[in-house]
Amino acid sequence: MRVLVTGGAGFIGSHVVDRLLQRGDSVTAFDDLSTGSLHNIRHLHDDPNFRFSNATVLDAQALDAEVAQVDVIYHLAAAVGVQLIVDRPLQSLITNIKGTENVLESAQKHRVKVLIASTSEIYGKSQNGPFKEEDDRVLGSPRKLRWSYSTSKAVDEILAYVYYKELGLPTVVVRLFNTIGPRQIGHYGMVVPRFIEQALRGEPVTVYGDGSQSRSFTSVHDVVKAITKLMETPQAEGDVFNVAGRSEITIRKLAELVIERAASASTIINVPFEVVYGEGFEDMDRRAADPSKLEAIAGFRCDTSLVETIDKMIEFARDSPRRQ
Ligand code: UDP
């Protein structure tokens, strides 16, 4: 297979690239390096089946030239992370909506199957859960910028669905839940790499709010296996899948776990949400997935333990050149 991975130099994208190359595909990583990094793909430099294209999904022409040459697209290029969305809302919206429109338009023109990465933010602040794919979305006011991410990804999902339904384009949508693993960085708010950095430096670990909010953290290695399996399963076409494990942890417990695994002397401090994200910010108390559909259709469970993933991330952070 010839595969295009948009966002291929990003955290999740670079792991997708690795897996596809390992199984013998030819892969082009398409990335504008806005949040991705050449560090994530530097080990692929001499691989003859790998190419890097430094461009943005907003450049429809450059994108189309790449789509014309492949059999499958994994569209992972997006503005991600609550911090980034709140800090740069306009650029984030344009990247997520226009970028996906461009990908789907080219995919349709060249009849190429496409995976669209969506997010658990889709469910918004609903108190119900674990969430099933068909559950209602509960969002705050559009004036609260956090919800613009959820809205942009909902537009992407609808576009993917309508291209499938009206035009017969094979699309698969995946909703990723707090994916974590090596190469993830904390600059854009992601909690686990932030806690690891803080713990390794012996600085206070910053728990936002009272830390009773919980999340389902899922190893990137599981996520990559799940989404490649879905792309090989014809039954998955036109559908949407939660991609996550079944375990949940509170942010307070997560902080304690990271400090313990890093053998750190760090303390934990609580920081009010308004201090970090500004007045009126809304956070979700609980965000857990029901991954039954993924497990039934792809025959795959995301069950790597959180401790194992955190240990790998600590090892990666210790070896990272940024720390030397
Ligand atoms: N969080 C935290 N300390 C940090 C960064 C994040 O307590 O330094 C919290 C954040 O408020 C949220 C959870 O950790 O409740 C997960 O945050 P993240 O941004 O990783 O993902 P989200 O689930 O919010 O998209």
Side-chain angles (χ1 to χ4, degrees), residues 191-219:
V191 67
V192 179
R194 284 176 58 83
F195 282 5
I196 289 174
E197 274 297 312
Q198 290 165 340
L200 290 181
R201 293 200 177 116
E203 293 167 0
V205 172
T206 54
V207 169
Y208 300 164
D210 66 4
S212 63
Q213 69 273 35
S214 71
R215 296 291 187 270
S216 297
F217 294 100
T218 306
S219 159

Side-chain angles (χ1 to χ4, degrees), residues 47-62:
D47 190 325
N49 291 320
F50 177 71
R51 252 185 77 235
F52 173 61
S53 177
N54 185 357
T56 163
V57 284
L58 297 176
D59 182 345
Q61 237 182 331

Side-chain angles (χ1 to χ4, degrees), residues 3-155:
V3 189
L4 182 67
V5 181
T6 72
F11 156 53
I12 302 176
S14 64
H15 285 284
V16 171
V17 169
D18 282 346
R19 181 163 174 89
L20 296 173
L21 286 170
Q22 273 156 22
R23 71 172 196 195
D25 292 338
S26 294
V27 184
T28 299
F30 189 95
D31 202 303
D32 66 356
L33 302 177
S34 52
T35 57
S37 161
L38 289 175
H39 267 283
N40 293 337
I41 49 172
R42 68 180 188 273
H43 58 290
L44 303 173
H45 199 258
D46 298 324
D47 190 325
N49 291 320
F50 177 71
R51 252 185 77 235
F52 173 61
S53 177
N54 185 357
T56 163
V57 284
L58 297 176
D59 182 345
Q61 237 182 331
L63 179 68
D64 192 68
E66 298 293 350
V67 173
Q69 297 179 53
V70 297
D71 309 301
V72 176
I73 306 168
Y74 285 76
H75 176 44
L76 299 164
V80 291
V82 173
Q83 190 92 57
L84 181 67
I85 308 303
V86 172
D87 291 348
R88 277 185 268 156
L90 182 58
Q91 193 55 33
S92 301
L93 274 170
I94 292 170
T95 302
N96 290 358
I97 297 176
K98 185 76 195 142
T100 300
E101 260 182 65
N102 287 344
V103 168
L104 286 166
E105 221 170 276
S106 283
Q108 169 64 13
K109 182 170 154 199
H110 302 286
R111 299 301 296 170
V112 176
K113 181 167 178 168
V114 50
L115 174 126
I116 302 286
S118 182
T119 166
S120 54
E121 279 274 319
I122 282 288
Y123 299 106
K125 57 181 174 176
S126 168
Q127 296 293 329
N128 303 325
F131 298 118
K132 283 188 186 311
E133 288 82 353
E134 301 307 319
D135 283 351
D136 287 341
R137 308 175 55 219
V138 182
L139 300 184
S141 158
R143 305 276 294 185
K144 293 202 167 133
L145 289 173
R146 165 167 208 149
W147 305 120
S148 66
Y149 181 45
S150 181
T151 301
S152 69
K153 283 294 176 178
V155 172

Side-chain angles (χ1 to χ4, degrees), residues 249-306:
I249 187 169
T250 65
I251 299 304
R252 173 89 200 181
K253 283 241 158 64
L254 174 74
E256 289 165 2
L257 181 64
V258 168
I259 289 170
E260 181 204 314
R261 301 308 297 180
S264 164
S266 288
T267 54
I268 295 176
I269 52 163
N270 290 92
V271 185
F273 288 113
E274 311 81 77
V275 172
V276 198
Y277 295 118
E279 205 57 50
F281 180 81
E282 295 177 87
D283 196 35
M284 275 82 66
D285 285 343
R286 181 181 185 213
R287 193 159 64 189
D290 180 341
S292 305
K293 189 152 78 163
L294 166 73
E295 291 169 3
I297 294 196
F300 180 78
R301 286 177 87 99
C302 298
D303 56 9
T304 302
S305 80
L306 181 59

Side-chain angles (χ1 to χ4, degrees), residues 226-237:
I227 68 179
T228 48
K229 274 185 190 292
L230 284 171
M231 283 296 269
E232 290 159 7
T233 309
Q235 216 189 328
E237 288 172 12

